[in-house]
Amino acid sequence: MEEENEVELLQRYRRDRRILLNYLLSGSLIKKVVMPPGAVSLDDVDLDQVSVDYVLNSVKKGDELELSEAIRDYHDSTGLPHMNAESEGEFFLATNPESSGSPPRRAPPAVPFVVPSPIMPDITSSNPFDANEEDEPAPAMISKSQSINSGQDRNLTVDDIDDFEDEDDLEELASRRYSRRTLNDTADLVVGLPSFATGVNDDDLRETAYEILLAAAGASGGLIVPSKEKKKEKKSRLLKKLGRSKSEQVTTQQSTGLTGLLETMRVQMEISEAMDIRTRQGLLNAMAGKVGKRMDALLIPLELLSCISRTEFSDKKAYIRWQKRQLNMLEEGLVNHPVVGFGESGRKASEMRVLLARIEESESFAPSVGELQRIECLRSLRDIAIPLAERPARGDLTGEVCHWADGYHLNVRLYEKLLLSIFDVLDEGKLTEEVEEILELLKSTWRILGITETIHHTCYAWVLFRQFVMTREHALLRLAIEQLNKVPLKEERGPQERMHLKSLYCKVETEEGSQELTFLQSFLMPIQKWADKQLADYHLNFSEALAMMENVVSLSMVARRLLQEEPGSAMQHVTDGDKIESYVSSSIKSAFLRTLQDVETMSNATDEHPLALLGEETKKLLKKDATVFIPVLSQWHSQAVVVSASLLHKLYGSKLKPFLNSVEQLTEDVVLVFPAADSFEEYVMELIASSSGQSEVSLKKLSPYKIETISGTLVLRWVNAQLSRIMGWVERAIQQERWEPVSMQQRHGSSIVEVYRIVEETIDQFFALKIPMRSGEMNSLFRGIDNAFQVYAKHVVDSLASKEDIIPPVPILTRYRRESGIKAFVKKELNDPRLPDMRKSRDINILTTPTLCVQLNTLYYGISHLNKLEDSIWERWTKKTKHGKSNNETSKKESFDGSRKDINAAIDRICEFTGTKIIFWDLREPFIENLYRPSVSESRLETLIEPLDAELNQLCDVIVEPLRDRIVTSLLQASLDGLIRVLLDGGPSRLFIPSDAKSLEEDLEVLKEFFISGGDGLPRGVVENQVARVRQVIKLQGYETRELIDDLKSASASDRSKLGADTKTLLRILCHRCDSEASQFLKKQYKIPKSAT
């Protein structure tokens, strides 16, 4: 196949060579052109045998051109490597380098420096022939028919040609040059047919196809032989435009009808006018005497051999080549590829080969002997060939059709050359304007070539497709798909057509060995192979050509369905979905490999972790695939996006897994890689979930990265470490706290500020971790912070003394004794009730009222900022997670409940302690010890208002406003507790009589109004509620002793007190009653001793 492609490329260069020579010889560049003997015009000259070097040298020297000398120069240099005398740096090999041993050891001569033309590059300079040369646009217009042995044609530049004045000429040249430059490589795009045993090449096929076309046209009576003068008027538009000078006036004549169409076909197929005239005349001569015979029923090569003589050619070599082609066609059509096989063990085939060889041999004899042998052999050949060719086939009658060119695969190769004429010579990516007429005309050749509708559509689709690959003209691809859609499926074909197509097969040597291919396989497998190759990396091949990709997929699907029905097809069980999956899988893998390479380069230039970059780039790749390519592929496979996403997920996972298995703690690499990996996986999940079909099944098939689980473990470790750090800071802050206000405005301690700072710093670090987290990690952080504030509150409370150390012990109950008050007073002075030891007293004294107020302010600061901290955490968590709303409001409110409970309890404890300390410690002497001692009248409560007011002012100066009422209420409660202590447990030094009740009531009213403070203090209702319990005791003090005794007896017997008091209260009032009756009752009933003397 590679040899066929090289031959095809060589033929293309040869055709361009003819165009160049036509231009040089038809223009005004040469002073005069002298025709060779027997030639009237250039149409009679075979330009393939004219030396381009000789012509260019004549142009440069300005001499006359002897074409006979140019032809002789060509033949003289045919077998030898030609050296360019003026370019010493150029040399050619006369041997095959592959079989010539090792390369030369010396370096080649230096290439001389050539200054390029300021107008345009060298018009003929080119690189040595290369099968892939078409891939790279060359700066010069390369002649496609340039001789391999020619070297002189390189020296002609634009500087040597000064007659380009017409802008149209330049446009034509530029257009043609552009067309040749932009051809794409078709090295791998070769139809699956074997080569011909006789060495028939593309030019041979093209010229024979044209002869068949003329015969088919002649069958309808449309074949005439124009005179040479008229022929010269009908030069092709391209050659006339390229060849005229600025002073030449050109008049075009457009032929119409079949004659004009045949002339167009001649130009399109690049047939010389001399050959056209010879063929027409030969066919008309062959019809002489054959009455009732159709021209398309002639054995054309044999008839042309018989009717065209050597004298009609300008030189012998051209005739020998022409004759060789005709003989080869007879051998290929009747012997190598016959429609009807030989029934006599190949005897006639052997005879034909002998005759063909003798005809070719006759040219080496003397003219008289050679001509005699040729005529004799032609006669014998006719006797054998005509009966063979006229045998019935495909249902026709004997002699009705001449079966010489309809054998497979010769017929489709000839028909392919006819179909190539539909493309514009000037722009190979466009169809000629007469395409419809040409296709209609080609139908007339179907009878000779044995072409059917299916064969036509298949060959036409192949020709269009191959031209599309060469030119990348999108319209050609659409036309190719349209033709393939016209090829009927197996069930749509008739029985005769099925049998006919089944008989069309050939053996082809491939890389896998010998392979037997059917007709459709030969033409469609290269198409399928090309489409598969392009779509196997559609990310690279169609990144900027989405519409083309859609058509290429359509082409692949149509070709696959047709090939699927062929015997022995490997795609019989392959569905559209399977094919699309293979494209997606292959292209994704290729694109991912390129991404890996890009990431490696990027990671070397940046500080980013390669896996983080790979995750981001893979997500971009998937996003492009899902938004750009998958909509196209989804037309044939609805789950294409699932295939793409799942495969990329797996590919990235294979690179990520070793990293996941190695991480043990939260590092910088983890913080970089995990977010990228999680973001990519989330996008994969979204794509799969959004796809129609069984998305749940597809999601279950994925092997999740488990980023959340792994990162959750790492984050928990980090959180625990941070919480330990916070606890250390709490301990340190408490130890360093001096309980002094931060400022006049900020009357809290500095330790709580420090605790909040470290907590907020930890929270910021927590949310700065962009790795995936679950609610468990956040809840763990909440619990840790909550515990830290609880520990803080506990440390504050632990510094307080106990109430037992502040409140003196309750005296033993005694009964009234005359002068007991004075004696007891003396005793008190001599032996004071038990007091705390010196260390505890010092600790209690340290906790001054301002210090306790700062502690309260500090705790209040802590609890008041909890709400803000809590809301901030939840808000940031909601933003961080996509499922933040799933956390209900209850869980939000309960986040710091432990801290709130403990801090409030600590505030209550400190308030209670502060009030108790003021009354029972700071004011112990004037209040607890001296109030109403020795009698109510001698020591009233008014004396306490001033020291109490001083303490209250000290409280209010430091305490924050929200806590003022709580601390004052605690002081009120402690004052009332102290008053009850004096009234009920005042000891033997305090004695009360019923008349004291009025004074006591007045003192209580003074205390009440002191705390109400005219509306600036506590609310009246709060004070009234607190005072109520003391008022009840004072009321009992106003009852007579007998009433108290009777009520105590009644309450002791039935647990019912008429006065509304319990037995303990009644008993204590009687113990402090300055009354002998009360003393006797207590002695008799309760054995209470007298007060100490």
Side-chain angles (χ1 to χ4, degrees):
M1 293 185 179
E2 292 181 358
E3 292 179 359
E4 289 183 15
N5 187 67
E6 291 175 0
V7 172
E8 181 181 348
L9 186 62
L10 178 58
Q11 297 304 322
R12 187 183 302 168
Y13 284 128
R14 290 177 61 193
R15 288 194 295 272
D16 282 359
R17 180 179 183 274
R18 294 172 195 155
I19 293 173
L20 176 62
L21 281 172
N22 259 300
Y23 161 70
L24 293 173
L25 298 176
S26 302
S28 59
L29 297 174
I30 300 176
K31 183 177 181 181
K32 182 179 180 181
V33 178
V34 180
M35 296 295 171
V40 178
S41 68
L42 289 177
D43 297 328
D44 300 324
V45 180
D46 187 356
L47 296 180
D48 286 342
Q49 302 186 51
V50 175
S51 171
V52 177
D53 300 332
Y54 192 90
V55 174
L56 291 177
N57 285 329
S58 298
V59 171
K60 294 173 69 175
K61 296 176 181 178
D63 297 339
E64 293 182 354
L65 174 63
E66 291 280 353
L67 279 182
S68 58
E69 293 297 324
I71 293 172
R72 184 180 297 107
D73 184 77
Y74 172 79
H75 286 290
D76 290 343
S77 61
T78 298
L80 299 174
H82 187 86
M83 301 301 296
N84 190 336
E86 297 186 13
S87 181
E88 298 177 358
E90 298 178 1
F91 60 91
F92 298 87
L93 295 176
T95 57
N96 183 0
E98 295 181 359
S99 60
S100 300
S102 60
R105 298 181 182 276
R106 62 180 178 82
V111 178
F113 178 78
V114 180
V115 179
S117 166
I119 301 175
M120 60 185 295
D122 190 335
I123 204 170
T124 58
S125 63
S126 64
N127 295 323
F129 290 104
D130 191 310
N132 297 325
E133 189 174 5
E134 293 171 348
D135 284 343
E136 299 180 4
M141 183 182 73
I142 301 172
S143 173
K144 291 198 293 185
S145 60
Q146 183 175 359
S147 171
I148 292 181
N149 295 321
S150 174
Q152 292 288 349
D153 57 337
R154 297 175 178 234
N155 296 330
L156 181 62
T157 65
V158 175
D159 295 333
D160 303 315
I161 304 174
D162 55 1
D163 292 326
F164 280 88
E165 298 292 341
D166 195 322
E167 291 181 359
D168 291 339
D169 295 341
L170 294 176
E171 290 175 2
E172 287 288 346
L173 280 175
S175 174
R176 186 169 185 83
R177 181 166 57 252
Y178 175 80
S179 173
R180 300 303 185 192
R181 279 203 313 263
T182 56
L183 296 183
N184 290 276
D185 182 29
T186 57
D188 296 332
L189 195 62
V190 181
V191 69
L193 297 173
S195 57
F196 294 103
T198 59
V200 171
N201 58 34
D202 283 359
D203 278 347
D204 296 337
L205 292 171
R206 177 174 49 80
E207 292 169 359
T208 300
Y210 183 69
E211 292 169 355
I212 292 173
L213 180 65
L214 290 179
S220 62
L223 190 64
I224 60 173
V225 182
S227 64
K228 291 186 178 180
E229 288 74 14
K230 289 185 178 179
K231 271 289 183 180
K232 284 192 285 185
E233 296 285 338
K234 296 178 181 178
K235 288 185 178 180
S236 70
R237 172 172 173 264
L238 170 65
L239 298 181
K240 286 191 292 182
K241 293 189 75 174
L242 293 179
R244 71 175 187 264
S245 65
K246 60 182 180 181
S247 59
E248 183 181 357
Q249 297 295 326
V250 179
T251 58
T252 61
Q253 296 182 1
Q254 295 291 338
S255 300
T256 58
L258 182 58
T259 302
L261 190 57
L262 285 175
E263 176 63 16
T264 300
M265 289 291 292
R266 182 191 69 78
V267 175
Q268 291 290 104
M269 297 184 70
E270 300 181 23
I271 302 297
S272 68
E273 293 181 357
M275 180 181 290
D276 180 38
I277 293 174
R278 280 196 301 268
T279 305
R280 290 172 184 249
Q281 189 64 58
L283 290 173
L284 291 174
N285 292 341
M287 289 299 296
K290 294 182 175 63
V291 181
K293 188 81 170 179
R294 291 170 56 92
M295 188 177 289
D296 57 2
L298 296 176
L299 184 52
I300 295 174
L302 180 60
E303 298 297 343
L304 292 178
L305 284 170
S306 302
C307 297
I308 297 177
S309 65
R310 161 74 179 80
T311 58
E312 297 185 40
F313 289 84
S314 58
D315 62 271
K316 183 178 180 179
K317 191 170 183 179
Y319 172 73
I320 292 174
R321 189 170 65 249
W322 174 84
Q323 179 180 258
K324 177 66 175 175
R325 174 171 63 83
Q326 303 296 348
L327 295 174
N328 287 343
M329 285 299 168
L330 284 173
E331 184 176 351
E332 293 291 348
L334 295 176
V335 180
N336 296 339
H337 304 286
V339 172
V340 183
F342 297 98
E344 301 179 13
S345 302
R347 182 177 60 81
K348 288 188 177 181
S350 300
E351 292 178 3
M352 277 194 65
R353 286 195 175 96
V354 171
L355 290 172
L356 294 174
R358 291 190 63 194
I359 294 173
E360 187 175 359
E361 183 187 28
S362 66
E363 296 300 325
S364 62
F365 298 150
S368 57
V369 177
E371 186 63 23
L372 184 62
Q373 178 176 321
R374 180 176 179 277
I375 293 172
E376 181 183 344
C377 290
L378 282 175
R379 187 183 300 113
S380 301
L381 183 61
R382 182 179 295 276
D383 293 339
I384 297 175
I386 295 296
L388 288 175
E390 292 185 348
R391 287 179 299 172
R394 301 198 306 272
D396 58 288
L397 301 176
T398 302
E400 183 180 0
V401 178
C402 187
H403 300 288
W404 70 273
D406 52 353
Y408 184 76
H409 60 96
L410 175 63
N411 59 340
V412 293
R413 296 298 294 270
L414 290 168
Y415 193 60
E416 179 188 4
K417 298 305 174 186
L418 290 171
L419 287 171
L420 286 172
S421 63
I422 64 173
F423 300 109
D424 196 329
V425 177
L426 296 177
D427 188 350
E428 295 183 352
K430 305 292 183 184
L431 298 179
T432 184
E433 295 178 357
E434 301 86 355
V435 59
E436 296 296 335
E437 293 86 344
I438 291 175
L439 290 175
E440 191 63 32
L441 177 61
L442 295 186
K443 286 185 178 181
S444 63
T445 65
W446 289 12
R447 176 187 176 90
I448 302 174
L449 297 173
I451 302 299
T452 64
E453 287 279 352
T454 299
I455 295 176
H456 164 73
H457 292 314
T458 306
C459 291
Y460 190 22
W462 162 257
V463 168
L464 289 167
F465 166 74
R466 192 173 185 281
Q467 200 73 6
F468 153 73
V469 176
M470 294 168 61
T471 63
R472 291 293 174 174
E473 187 63 41
H474 198 183
L476 297 179
L477 178 59
R478 290 194 293 267
L479 289 174
I481 296 172
E482 183 181 328
Q483 291 302 312
L484 282 182
N485 283 323
K486 292 180 181 179
V487 177
L489 296 173
K490 196 171 185 178
E491 59 185 15
E492 298 171 352
R493 303 167 193 160
Q496 186 174 356
E497 186 175 20
R498 283 202 295 269
M499 290 184 62
H500 176 56
L501 289 176
K502 188 177 180 180
S503 67
L504 304 182
Y505 65 90
C506 60
K507 287 187 177 181
V508 179
E509 294 297 328
T510 63
E511 296 177 356
E512 293 80 13
S514 181
Q515 188 177 5
E516 194 171 90
L517 300 178
T518 64
F519 163 71
L520 287 176
Q521 286 174 336
S522 294
F523 281 85
L524 297 184
M525 283 178 66
I527 295 177
Q528 182 73 65
K529 182 179 178 182
W530 181 91
D532 288 348
K533 182 178 180 181
Q534 298 296 310
L535 293 171
D537 196 355
Y538 58 77
H539 289 87
L540 177 65
N541 297 324
F542 300 104
S543 59
E544 303 296 336
L546 196 60
M548 185 178 292
M549 175 186 169
E550 184 173 356
N551 283 323
V552 171
V553 178
S554 299
L555 178 76
S556 173
M557 295 298 107
V558 174
R560 185 196 61 79
R561 282 193 288 271
L562 292 171
L563 288 171
Q564 211 168 19
E565 299 180 331
E566 294 303 294
S569 173
M571 295 185 289
Q572 288 183 354
H573 303 292
V574 178
T575 64
D576 287 356
D578 295 335
K579 201 68 180 173
I580 296 299
E581 281 191 22
S582 69
Y583 293 150
V584 173
S585 176
S586 176
S587 188
I588 284 292
K589 289 177 182 177
S590 299
F592 185 74
L593 285 176
R594 286 193 296 273
T595 302
L596 278 175
Q597 296 171 356
D598 295 341
V599 164
E600 185 176 354
T601 304
M602 293 166 61
S603 63
N604 292 334
T606 63
D607 295 332
E608 288 284 335
H609 193 282
L611 283 175
L613 285 173
L614 183 60
E616 295 170 1
E617 294 302 316
T618 305
K619 182 178 179 181
K620 291 178 184 177
L621 174 61
L622 179 57
K623 189 170 292 186
K624 181 177 181 180
D625 195 54
T627 56
V628 177
F629 300 113
I630 293 301
V632 173
L633 299 174
S634 295
Q635 299 176 36
W636 292 272
H637 189 8
S638 60
Q639 296 297 299
V641 67
V642 176
V643 177
S644 174
S646 301
L647 180 56
L648 272 178
H649 183 270
K650 182 178 180 181
L651 291 173
Y652 180 67
S654 66
K655 302 296 180 183
L656 181 66
K657 189 174 180 180
F659 178 80
L660 296 180
N661 293 337
S662 65
V663 294
E664 296 181 354
Q665 57 186 353
L666 204 57
T667 63
E668 185 178 350
D669 287 346
V670 171
V671 173
L672 290 173
V673 173
F674 276 28
D678 186 63
S679 175
F680 169 66
E681 187 172 46
E682 281 188 3
Y683 185 63
V684 169
M685 301 291 188
E686 289 175 10
L687 282 181
I688 295 178
S690 64
S691 65
S692 58
Q694 300 177 343
S695 58
E696 293 183 2
V697 177
S698 301
L699 288 172
K700 288 180 180 179
K701 290 181 179 179
L702 284 181
S703 297
Y705 301 152
K706 298 181 179 179
I707 297 291
E708 278 195 354
T709 303
I710 299 173
S711 66
T713 303
L714 299 178
V715 171
L716 277 178
R717 293 176 185 172
W718 179 88
V719 167
N720 291 335
Q722 294 301 310
L723 291 178
S724 299
R725 176 169 165 260
I726 290 176
M727 296 304 295
W729 274 94
V730 169
E731 298 281 352
R732 179 183 174 188
I734 286 292
Q735 291 173 5
Q736 295 179 349
E737 180 63 79
R738 296 294 177 264
W739 301 117
E740 296 176 355
V742 175
S743 66
M744 291 296 293
Q745 292 75 28
Q746 297 176 323
R747 288 171 280 176
H748 51 265
S750 60
S751 59
I752 192 65
V753 178
E754 186 65 17
V755 170
Y756 262 104
R757 184 190 65 79
I758 193 64
V759 166
E760 289 172 355
E761 183 180 298
T762 302
I763 293 171
D764 290 341
Q765 291 175 358
F766 177 82
F767 285 106
L769 300 174
K770 300 303 180 183
I771 61 177
M773 298 181 194
R774 298 163 299 183
S775 58
E777 288 79 69
M778 195 269 297
N779 290 335
S780 178
L781 180 67
F782 262 126
R783 288 193 298 271
I785 296 173
D786 189 42
N787 184 54
F789 282 112
Q790 291 180 52
V791 169
Y792 182 87
K794 182 176 181 300
H795 275 296
V796 174
V797 172
D798 285 347
S799 65
L800 302 179
S802 64
K803 290 180 68 174
E804 289 75 12
D805 293 334
I806 298 175
I807 301 176
V810 177
I812 297 174
L813 289 178
T814 59
R815 52 190 173 86
Y816 168 74
R817 179 180 180 183
R818 187 178 298 274
E819 297 179 355
S820 62
I822 300 172
K823 293 180 179 179
F825 177 73
V826 175
K827 188 71 175 177
K828 170 71 172 65
E829 289 180 346
L830 297 176
N831 193 9
D832 208 14
R834 182 178 56 84
L835 295 174
D837 57 33
M838 294 298 294
R839 183 179 62 80
K840 289 185 178 180
S841 297
R842 185 172 62 255
D843 292 341
I844 294 172
N845 291 328
I846 289 174
L847 294 175
T848 62
T849 299
T851 297
L852 292 170
C853 288
V854 171
Q855 289 182 342
L856 286 170
N857 294 344
T858 302
L859 290 174
Y860 178 76
Y861 180 93
I863 197 171
S864 62
H865 282 71
L866 274 180
N867 289 336
K868 182 179 178 182
L869 179 66
E870 187 177 37
D871 292 342
S872 172
I873 294 175
W874 280 115
E875 182 181 354
R876 293 169 74 173
W877 176 255
T878 304
K879 291 179 180 178
K880 182 177 179 64
T881 62
K882 294 179 175 57
H883 310 290
K885 293 183 179 179
S886 64
N887 299 301
N888 54 43
E889 293 298 324
T890 303
S891 65
K892 292 183 181 182
K893 292 178 180 178
E894 294 176 354
S895 302
F896 289 135
D897 271 6
S899 299
R900 290 189 179 91
K901 181 179 179 181
D902 284 8
I903 293 176
N904 274 318
I907 290 174
D908 290 340
R909 171 76 190 283
I910 295 175
C911 285
E912 180 186 6
F913 178 81
T914 302
T916 303
K917 177 179 176 293
I918 290 173
I919 298 301
F920 288 90
W921 186 269
D922 297 336
L923 300 181
R924 171 183 291 189
E925 184 176 349
F927 202 133
I928 304 302
E929 295 178 0
N930 296 328
L931 181 64
Y932 303 143
R933 185 179 177 189
S935 65
V936 173
S937 60
E938 294 180 19
S939 178
R940 299 290 297 271
L941 186 65
E942 290 179 352
T943 59
L944 290 175
I945 294 301
E946 185 176 347
L948 198 58
D949 184 56
E951 293 289 343
L952 186 60
N953 288 334
Q954 194 175 24
L955 278 176
C956 294
D957 288 342
V958 182
I959 201 72
V960 292
E961 186 65 26
L963 293 181
R964 185 182 69 89
D965 285 357
R966 289 179 68 175
I967 189 64
V968 173
T969 301
S970 296
L971 182 59
L972 170 62
Q973 292 173 344
S975 301
L976 296 175
D977 290 342
L979 188 57
I980 290 177
R981 167 68 179 260
V982 169
L983 294 177
L984 299 181
D985 291 305
S989 61
R990 288 189 175 87
L991 297 174
F992 301 98
I993 58 176
S995 60
D996 291 336
K998 183 177 180 182
S999 299
L1000 293 174
E1001 186 67 32
E1002 292 174 354
D1003 286 352
L1004 182 62
E1005 196 68 22
V1006 169
L1007 185 63
K1008 182 185 74 173
E1009 291 302 326
F1010 170 76
F1011 280 100
I1012 294 174
S1013 187
D1016 295 333
L1018 294 175
R1020 184 174 292 277
V1022 172
V1023 177
E1024 288 288 354
N1025 290 334
Q1026 295 291 335
V1027 167
R1029 60 189 177 99
V1030 181
R1031 182 171 282 118
Q1032 178 65 19
V1033 174
I1034 294 175
K1035 183 178 179 182
L1036 291 174
Q1037 293 284 3
Y1039 287 103
E1040 294 295 332
T1041 301
R1042 175 48 51 187
E1043 290 178 294
L1044 294 174
I1045 291 174
D1046 291 343
D1047 193 57
L1048 177 59
K1049 290 179 180 179
S1050 174
S1052 299
S1054 61
D1055 293 332
R1056 292 183 181 179
S1057 171
K1058 296 179 182 179
L1059 301 179
D1062 58 83
T1063 57
K1064 291 182 179 180
T1065 303
L1066 292 173
L1067 182 61
R1068 280 171 168 73
I1069 291 176
L1070 288 173
C1071 286
H1072 291 80
R1073 177 61 57 98
C1074 186
D1075 189 292
S1076 299
E1077 183 180 4
S1079 178
Q1080 290 299 321
F1081 171 77
L1082 293 174
K1083 175 182 178 182
K1084 182 178 180 179
Q1085 294 294 329
Y1086 293 97
K1087 308 299 181 183
I1088 295 177
K1090 291 182 179 180
S1091 60
T1093 58

